[in-house]
Amino acid sequence: MTNQRLTTSWGAPVGDNQNSMTAGHRGPTLIQDVHLLEKLAHFNRERIPERVVHAKGGGAFGTFKVTNDMSKYTKAKLFNGVGKETDMFIRFSTVAGELGAADTQRDPRGFAVKFYTEEGNYDLVGNNTPVFFIRDAIKFPDFIHTQKRDPRTHLKNPNSVWDFWSLSPEALHQVTILMSDRGIPATWRHMHGFGSHTFKWVNAEGQAVWVKYHFKTNQGIKNLDNATAEQIAGVNPDYHTEDLFNAIENGDFPSWTLYVQIMPIEDANTYRYDAFDVTKVWSQKDYPLIEVGTMTLNRNPENYFAEVEQATFTPGSFVPGIEASPDKLLQGRLFAYGDAHRYRVGANHNQLPVNSPKCPVHHHQRDGFMATGDNGGRSMYYEPNSFGGPFEDPSAKQTPFEVTGEAAQVSYDSEDHYSQAGDLYRLLSEDERTRLVANIVGSMMPVQYEEIKRRQIEHFYKADPEYGTRIAEGLGLSVELKVTEEV
Ligand code: NDP
């Protein structure tokens, strides 16, 4: 590293960075030492609000390369033409823990990808799981409250966790995945990623299909058992962060193969599950995986804060050829993510280098805190106008779609919450089932209210009687289950 002259943030040389200016040798300190004032004041402002979820994470840059042309289904340039390469950035994270939390906690992992395409940034803000705990954004703040700290004790509260899940049976599928071996990946490199929601792809002729994304790890699935994960959490809470950094630094570039499931638009009206319910998967027997391309991570960020902490992702960051579906959780996220970043990083977060599109950007947004660059200079700042400048492009309009029915707050209570959780239980080996049951029993044991445990056991039982019975037995509640014919 070459030596440079130390300056203040306003660029003036600093004469002494070790001794503050004092009145006499023993002080007091003089307020005219403006370098000292600036240094202390900026230090006080080093932190920005941590993400309310997905606070702890790490990231890397890489490339996405198309291996199977998708132009039949989408005009999105990043998926068109075999060999097409697009730069990308990914951020992995846990969900519930704070910024300093241990990487090896049992939790879903964030798997948020930003593709820097020539028609804007496409953010695929996914997780390492194909489903989620809830399917309506209105439940999200309550759900996350149960995953965070109790307001009185400031401790995690298993009563709240299992109370909420037992009263939200749609969570059962995701709870089963979370409590299975895949609930603690060995590293971020050894887990799959999923877009989870259903999205819409539109081709150049305006024809649309529904799509789900699956990133399959090329490193193979590897997980940690509870004891190992807890031991690592104590010794090296940054284990996953370190693993990814070191792998890339050593030239061992991790990669994932991207597959999609494609559903014809009309099928969503008749499919045996609600195709937009994020607590459900589409069976791969009904909609097989189609290969799209390979994502390879090959470059570490130069500065964690600039490029990882300030990275902002929103599922609403679409590009031509990719649109939203009616998925109710997705619809809520379309608002919540951008809003979180406007609060956390600022209204001009897209101007920061890691978030900034690599294609030309012309819009009429002006001003706001931390407007960097030329703020649009003298260019046109409204539309319509008579003087030129950026104009809308009708070819980039979203495809029209039909909506029917009454506007209402519709409950899902009568829906099937159980069969896919049961399918997962039934595809596990006996060893995997044993560990799943042990993980759940260990997690539910501290719950102080038998009513909560019984309510939750009913859900497991409805997914598969063996599943429920084994958990009941593990909790010493094998008798008096109130499970009825509706099973
Ligand atoms: P399939 O047999 O066609 O697919 C099973 C899926 O389960 C594969 O994606 C497989 O992924 C995954 N899987 C295998 N072992 C495990 C495990 N121990 N933990 C989590 N996932 C695992 O069946 P269906 O598509 O009909 O789905 C059956 C059940 O599989 C679903 O109810 C769901 O719980 C689960 N699943 C389904 C997915 C989907 O998109 N359809 C995705 C992931 C899970 P892999 O090849 O990596 O092992």
Side-chain angles (χ1 to χ4, degrees):
M1 228 175 248
T2 54
N3 287 344
Q4 292 144 335
R5 188 160 76 161
L6 180 70
T7 71
T8 61
S9 59
W10 58 95
V14 172
D16 193 335
N17 195 35
Q18 304 304 315
N19 305 293
S20 51
M21 182 183 285
T22 52
H25 283 196
R26 300 180 65 180
T29 308
L30 294 182
I31 207 163
Q32 81 170 66
D33 188 345
V34 288
H35 169 60
L36 169 69
L37 303 188
E38 172 72 9
K39 190 172 177 179
L40 295 180
H42 189 274
F43 178 67
N44 279 342
R45 290 162 178 77
E46 280 186 1
R47 297 288 172 270
I48 59 174
E50 68 174 34
R51 294 166 172 86
V52 68
V53 283
H54 295 277
K56 175 72 188 293
F61 293 93
T63 305
F64 178 75
K65 186 171 184 179
V66 176
T67 51
N68 187 17
D69 176 45
M70 288 290 112
S71 56
K72 182 174 158 198
Y73 301 116
T74 176
K75 63 184 172 187
K77 295 228 162 72
L78 79 157
F79 299 132
N80 282 190
V82 172
K84 165 84 180 170
E85 292 194 8
T86 302
D87 290 342
M88 42 77 47
F89 176 73
I90 189 166
R91 183 173 179 273
F92 302 104
S93 53
T94 46
V95 178
E98 297 88 359
L99 246 175
D103 286 342
T104 55
Q105 290 177 354
R106 185 173 295 281
D107 207 4
R109 267 46 184 189
F111 195 104
V113 188
K114 185 182 288 296
F115 298 96
Y116 301 100
T117 90
E118 62 259 54
E119 290 196 300
N121 289 349
Y122 175 44
D123 291 355
L124 187 52
V125 197
N127 280 327
N128 70 333
T129 141
V131 295
F132 198 62
F133 299 93
I134 52 168
R135 58 185 149 211
D136 190 324
I138 202 166
K139 296 183 77 163
F140 191 76
D142 299 290
F143 165 58
I144 292 300
H145 284 171
T146 70
Q147 298 291 307
K148 293 277 187 180
R149 294 173 185 278
D150 181 277
R152 177 160 183 245
T153 61
H154 201 57
L155 302 170
K156 298 288 175 73
N157 187 338
N159 295 322
S160 310
V161 168
W162 287 101
D163 187 31
F164 183 88
W165 283 341
S166 70
L167 292 167
S168 305
E170 71 271 31
L172 191 70
H173 193 187
Q174 175 66 87
V175 168
T176 302
I177 294 175
L178 176 66
M179 294 294 165
S180 78
D181 289 347
R182 296 191 187 189
I184 315 180
T187 81
W188 293 327
R189 297 180 294 128
H190 293 94
M191 63 185 198
H192 296 331
F194 300 86
S196 304
H197 301 289
T198 298
F199 295 94
K200 190 193 284 173
W201 271 6
V202 185
N203 69 13
E205 282 73 51
Q207 294 155 336
V209 290
W210 302 118
V211 62
K212 276 188 184 288
Y213 297 88
H214 302 243
F215 287 94
K216 296 247 184 193
T217 172
N218 293 331
Q219 289 65 242
I221 292 276
K222 275 194 201 161
N223 306 303
L224 298 174
D225 60 54
N226 277 344
T228 311
E230 280 167 19
Q231 192 261 339
I232 293 172
V235 175
N236 182 3
D238 308 316
Y239 181 72
H240 288 168
T241 313
E242 185 179 43
D243 171 84
L244 180 69
F245 186 89
N246 287 345
I248 294 175
E249 215 58 9
N250 294 333
D252 179 12
F253 300 147
S255 69
W256 285 258
T257 304
L258 175 64
Y259 298 85
V260 288
Q261 289 177 287
I262 299 284
M263 179 188 281
I265 289 286
E266 322 69 63
D267 281 23
N269 301 326
T270 52
Y271 191 47
R272 63 182 190 279
Y273 299 111
D274 176 349
F276 311 117
D277 175 352
V278 73
T279 67
K280 306 274 190 338
V281 295
W282 302 347
S283 173
Q284 292 171 35
K285 298 171 197 87
D286 300 328
Y287 300 99
L289 299 182
I290 303 169
E291 185 175 323
V292 181
T294 308
M295 174 177 79
T296 307
L297 307 185
N298 52 24
R299 181 162 66 88
N300 278 315
E302 285 298 309
N303 184 283
Y304 182 87
F305 182 85
E307 295 171 295
V308 183
E309 191 60 11
Q310 292 196 119
T312 60
F313 298 87
T314 163
S317 193
F318 291 120
V319 293
I322 308 173
E323 299 180 5
S325 80
D327 177 325
K328 293 180 190 181
L329 191 70
L330 171 64
Q331 294 277 324
R333 294 178 77 206
L334 295 179
F335 160 72
Y337 279 63
D339 187 58
H341 301 313
R342 285 186 284 271
Y343 162 69
R344 197 177 67 84
V345 186
N348 290 315
H349 62 95
N350 274 330
Q351 296 181 15
L352 296 172
V354 69
N355 303 320
S356 174
K358 308 301 174 223
C359 63
V361 175
H362 303 290
H363 54 64
H364 303 113
Q365 288 181 4
R366 292 293 182 277
D367 308 350
F369 284 113
M370 304 306 296
T372 56
D374 70 354
N375 191 34
R378 64 168 68 181
S379 67
M380 189 41 69
Y381 51 95
Y382 62 89
E383 187 182 17
N385 73 69
S386 317
F387 307 104
F391 285 110
E392 66 195 16
D393 173 2
S395 74
K397 274 188 182 179
Q398 291 190 36
T399 47
F401 57 96
E402 215 174 279
V403 282
T404 55
E406 292 176 332
Q409 282 134 342
V410 182
S411 154
Y412 277 97
D413 283 352
S414 59
E415 298 240 340
D416 167 14
H417 309 297
Y418 304 106
S419 58
Q420 291 200 352
D423 289 344
L424 179 59
Y425 180 78
R426 288 181 286 274
L427 74 74
L428 300 180
S429 68
E430 176 50 32
D431 283 355
E432 287 176 311
R433 288 184 195 184
T434 302
R435 290 190 292 270
L436 169 70
V437 168
N439 291 338
I440 292 171
V441 169
S443 174
M444 287 180 75
M445 202 62 99
V447 173
Q448 291 159 310
Y449 305 94
E450 194 174 308
E451 181 195 343
I452 294 176
K453 291 183 187 168
R454 288 190 178 280
R455 194 162 52 217
Q456 184 63 42
I457 289 167
E458 275 194 50
H459 297 317
F460 292 125
Y461 193 96
K462 288 177 182 172
D464 191 290
E466 179 194 297
Y467 189 13
T469 304
R470 289 175 72 170
I471 289 165
E473 283 171 4
L475 290 169
L477 291 171
S478 50
V479 287
E480 297 174 45
L481 280 180
K482 288 185 293 172
V483 177
T484 55
E485 280 68 51
E486 65 186 280
V487 174

